[in-house]
Amino acid sequence: MAIDQEAIKKHIRGIIEALGDDPEREGLKDTPERVARMCTEVFDGMNYTNHEIAQMFDKTFNEKCGLEYGLDDMVIVRDIDIFSYCEHHMALMYDMKVSVAYIPCGKVIGLSKIARIADMVGKRLQLQERIGSDIAQIISEITGSDSVGVRIEGCHSCMTARGIKRPGAKTVTTTFTGRFKEDTSLQMRLFL
């Protein structure tokens, strides 16, 4: 699915008019074009399925790790900064910190790829809960691991700037698969 910049320009112009302003005013005449370009950038993840993102970032290394080698290794990448847009209000979800852990089973993914996956998944109209499950699904597909944990903490402008207007409110979500579902000690390592 390609993002339709022409449709975005048309609708942004309509929103400006609906707000009672003049889209030909000096400060607004280029706004529809700027918003369309911004949407192409910040919603780039909408162009790809989880499987396509997995293919895009499938750079792994075969390593003697995991239970089949008598090892109980875990890889954790903490505090990956991302942002996204809430699908309910199209409001910014910001100051989001994503931590991803997985238990390797014979191969490991390049660490920068984990951050790239989190970034790309965030570039969709999303729910914070779905960001976690999408990341877990992609990491599992790439690494072959059935044990993935994702922790996300973030602020939602639909809570901080409108509605209840509680600027200090943060939302924390977790996604656990495989051994992370049952083993609270593994879960707690995401909170350290």
Side-chain angles (χ1 to χ4, degrees):
M1 172 189 105
I3 293 174
D4 186 343
Q5 286 196 8
E6 291 306 313
I8 292 170
K9 288 183 215 177
K10 174 185 163 196
H11 293 295
I12 293 300
R13 182 179 174 84
I15 289 171
I16 292 168
E17 290 171 345
L19 290 171
D21 213 327
D22 177 8
E24 294 302 319
R25 178 168 66 78
E26 183 61 31
L28 291 175
K29 65 182 175 183
D30 293 328
T31 296
E33 168 109 11
R34 284 191 298 268
V35 171
R37 283 194 319 264
M38 178 198 74
C39 286
T40 299
E41 178 183 340
V42 302
F43 295 118
D44 187 35
M46 295 183 75
N47 292 311
Y48 307 100
T49 64
N50 285 350
H51 176 68
E52 289 168 332
I53 293 171
Q55 290 179 321
M56 191 181 313
F57 298 115
D58 187 356
K59 178 62 177 165
T60 59
F61 306 92
N62 294 325
E63 293 292 327
K64 289 185 178 181
C65 54
L67 294 176
E68 67 266 28
Y69 296 101
L71 303 170
D72 202 14
D73 300 333
M74 181 181 355
V75 176
I76 303 175
V77 178
R78 294 186 195 285
D79 297 331
I80 302 165
D81 289 312
I82 70 165
F83 68 89
S84 191
Y85 287 86
C86 165
E87 68 183 35
H88 296 148
H89 300 98
M90 294 185 76
L92 185 65
M93 295 187 287
Y94 60 97
D95 288 342
M96 296 181 84
K97 301 281 187 191
V98 178
S99 296
V100 179
Y102 71 98
I103 299 173
C105 63
K107 58 184 179 176
V108 294
I109 185 173
L111 297 176
S112 70
K113 302 302 186 253
I114 295 172
R116 292 178 190 279
I117 290 164
D119 182 61
M120 186 63 79
V121 167
K123 290 182 174 181
R124 298 170 169 169
L125 292 174
Q126 274 286 25
L127 296 174
Q128 184 170 320
E129 300 88 340
R130 189 178 317 114
I131 292 171
S133 61
D134 286 350
I135 292 169
Q137 179 185 359
I138 294 166
I139 295 293
S140 182
E141 181 176 336
I142 292 172
T143 65
S145 175
D146 66 348
S147 297
V148 180
V150 180
R151 179 184 186 275
I152 304 171
E153 180 175 317
C155 298
H156 295 236
S157 60
C158 54
M159 277 189 63
T160 62
R162 60 155 302 279
I164 191 72
K165 295 181 187 162
R166 294 297 179 258
K170 291 187 178 191
T171 300
V172 177
T173 56
T174 57
T175 302
F176 299 123
T177 68
R179 290 180 51 206
F180 282 93
K181 277 187 171 184
E182 308 299 325
D183 190 336
T184 56
S185 69
L186 290 177
Q187 294 172 14
M188 292 312 297
R189 290 172 70 181
L190 277 173
F191 289 89
L192 296 176

